[in-house]
Amino acid sequence: MEKSNNDMKDLQPLFPELHLTRPIIIAGPCSIESEEQTLSTAKELAKNGIKIFRGGIWKPRTSPGGFEGIREIGLPWLKKVKEETGLLISTEVANKTHVELALDAGVDMVWIGARTSANPFAMQEIADALKDSGKDLPVLVKNPVNPDLDLWIGALKRIYNAGLRRLGAIHRGFSTYGKHLYRNLPHWHIPIELQRRYPNLPLFCDPSHISGKRELIASVSQQALDMNFDGLIIESHCNPDAAWSDKNQQVSPDVLNVIINNLVVRDETSSTESLQSLRQQIDRINDELLELLAKRMRVTCEIGLYKKEHKMPVIQQNRYNDLMERLVKNGEELGMSAEFIRNILVAIHEESVRQQLEIVNGNNGKI
């Protein structure tokens, strides 16, 4: 493990003019779609005390043909948000042209998305454009799509080396293959290590992109605060179900207000852990257990395919008996009852057999 670095120690506050306390909340729609939708959302957010508005206008999509944002047509709408509500305005940039257009429109902050931060050439182009502008504004860099801490740090350093000192990082989770509880896996140890190496670097969480579904946003937000994140960037839309992009992970301003008001900000000087904090730990562990079980079942399916190809029986009784004996013994040594371990292993084995039988019989899930 690397020691904490001495560079980036001269970072400046992101929004000194706002005198914000933790957590800093940045909110707004995934994509701004019309002047009416943009202003309606912004006014509701401002009414609820939000100070920084986010609105995507350039949206990199995985496949061509999808909605790729309203583009620079939306910049005057962002400007109008600032004029009518007093909110600071921000948007995502992915190249030199985006930077120039956004800054010309008076954008107060920019962020750089996960696909862009994974590309050193694109990051350098953005860094150069920001340097050439001569403007001092906050820049937030999302983690790359893949779980590569060094690539994330490299992206941040390119902006830092361009002379900008109002710099922050956004943890939005990491892309993966297959079905998971989250849209993008949190891999919390990665932002925590970033935080350890650069304790002066403000760290935000994007629970919308980690969750992929609005019902998980509150719990992910709380997890981030429990890990001492500085703020949250959350997607909020005046009519989430009608959103043109990522509607499942957006919440209305009123729902966002409820989420924020129910967040618990831990007292760092507290000597004992509250019951609520312990429950949050249980929630995280439960999520991790589900991810591990899903991973185990994927391996189970690979074994099922192998058995099918080699005409092997699904149930290997001797291996199951040996596994049960070993794990029950290990569980008892860890302070758990033999009955409890057996019940868990029986349930896991039954689900494994069910999935392997589906593969071997090729009956589309009907045993």
Side-chain angles (χ1 to χ4, degrees):
M1 182 181 289
E2 291 186 17
K3 296 180 180 179
S4 60
N5 289 279
N6 292 322
D7 52 347
M8 293 204 290
K9 291 185 70 173
D10 59 340
L11 295 176
Q12 302 299 313
L14 291 171
F15 311 104
E17 67 274 31
L18 296 181
H19 306 290
L20 297 172
T21 58
R22 177 174 174 268
I24 299 170
I25 306 295
I26 302 169
C30 171
S31 302
I32 61 174
E33 302 156 359
S34 67
E35 182 174 333
E36 180 183 2
Q37 171 252 7
T38 303
L39 288 171
S40 175
T41 304
K43 288 176 180 178
E44 290 184 51
L45 290 170
K47 181 183 66 177
N48 291 337
I50 300 300
K51 303 296 183 184
I52 308 163
F53 182 80
R54 57 143 291 150
I57 58 174
W58 296 287
K59 302 298 298 181
R61 313 313 294 176
T62 301
S63 301
F67 174 60
E68 295 185 336
I70 206 72
R71 306 192 181 189
E72 53 266 31
I73 294 172
L75 286 171
W77 306 340
L78 284 178
K79 192 172 182 179
K80 199 166 184 179
V81 164
K82 187 174 182 179
E83 292 170 350
E84 295 193 8
T85 67
L87 293 172
L88 298 187
I89 53 174
S90 63
T91 197
E92 178 179 344
V93 294
N95 57 41
K96 177 182 178 180
T97 301
H98 293 172
V99 172
E100 292 172 346
L101 289 170
L103 295 187
D104 286 346
V107 166
D108 298 293
M109 183 196 83
V110 296
W111 78 85
I112 299 164
R115 290 178 175 88
T116 308
S117 66
N119 184 338
F121 292 109
M123 285 303 308
Q124 192 58 55
E125 178 181 324
I126 292 169
D128 291 341
L130 288 166
K131 182 178 181 179
D132 292 343
S133 75
K135 295 182 179 179
D136 177 33
L137 77 164
V139 180
L140 304 183
V141 181
K142 288 193 175 185
N143 62 259
V145 290
N146 48 318
D148 187 334
L149 178 57
D150 289 334
L151 191 59
W152 194 3
I153 292 172
L156 287 158
K157 284 188 174 180
R158 289 179 189 275
I159 304 299
Y160 178 84
N161 291 341
L164 286 95
R165 294 295 180 265
R166 297 165 69 186
L167 183 61
I170 301 175
H171 171 47
R172 50 78 77 187
F174 301 90
S175 299
T176 187
Y177 180 77
K179 293 184 178 180
H180 298 274
L181 176 64
Y182 300 112
R183 176 183 177 182
N184 295 295
L185 298 184
H187 294 314
W188 292 106
H189 65 283
I190 294 178
I192 288 172
E193 176 61 12
L194 177 69
Q195 195 176 47
R196 187 191 68 81
R197 294 191 196 181
Y198 300 97
N200 295 324
L201 179 71
L203 184 58
F204 288 75
C205 179
D206 179 348
S208 303
H209 276 88
I210 288 176
S211 302
K213 36 190 178 285
R214 60 180 67 111
E215 57 267 27
L216 293 176
I217 289 175
S219 63
V220 173
S221 297
Q222 186 62 61
Q223 289 178 53
L225 292 190
D226 290 346
M227 292 182 220
N228 207 33
F229 278 55
D230 296 281
L232 305 167
I233 179 167
I234 302 177
E235 292 183 347
S236 181
H237 190 293
C238 57
N239 185 8
D241 289 330
W244 294 1
S245 59
D246 290 346
K247 65 180 181 180
N248 292 330
Q249 66 188 43
Q250 299 194 65
V251 294
S252 68
D254 286 343
V255 170
L256 176 62
N257 195 43
V258 172
I259 291 172
I260 293 170
N261 287 334
N262 281 284
L263 291 174
V264 178
V265 181
R266 309 295 171 200
D267 181 0
E268 294 182 15
T269 62
S270 177
S271 59
T272 59
E273 194 168 34
S274 67
L275 179 61
Q276 180 65 21
S277 178
L278 292 171
R279 286 172 173 165
Q280 290 295 333
Q281 290 186 47
I282 289 292
D283 289 343
R284 289 197 295 272
I285 293 169
N286 287 340
D287 290 345
E288 292 168 3
L289 283 172
L290 286 175
E291 292 290 346
L292 285 172
L293 286 171
K295 184 176 181 180
R296 189 191 191 283
M297 292 306 163
R298 287 194 291 273
V299 176
T300 290
C301 291
E302 293 290 334
I303 294 173
L305 286 171
Y306 183 91
K307 289 177 179 177
K308 180 178 181 180
E309 292 169 0
H310 294 80
K311 296 181 171 56
M312 295 173 63
V314 166
I315 297 177
Q316 306 285 314
Q317 194 63 50
N318 288 338
R319 169 168 167 74
Y320 176 62
N321 291 340
D322 292 342
L323 186 68
M324 177 72 77
E325 182 179 347
R326 177 174 65 82
L327 292 179
V328 167
K329 181 180 178 181
N330 291 347
E332 287 182 309
E333 291 175 354
L334 292 170
M336 292 172 282
S337 71
E339 182 181 5
F340 171 68
I341 298 299
R342 287 193 188 97
N343 288 338
I344 291 176
L345 293 175
V346 167
I348 292 174
H349 184 252
E350 288 178 352
E351 177 63 11
S352 298
V353 169
R354 184 190 69 79
Q355 293 201 21
Q356 288 191 10
L357 285 173
E358 289 181 1
I359 291 170
V360 170
N361 294 330
N363 57 7
N364 298 322
K366 297 180 180 180
I367 298 175

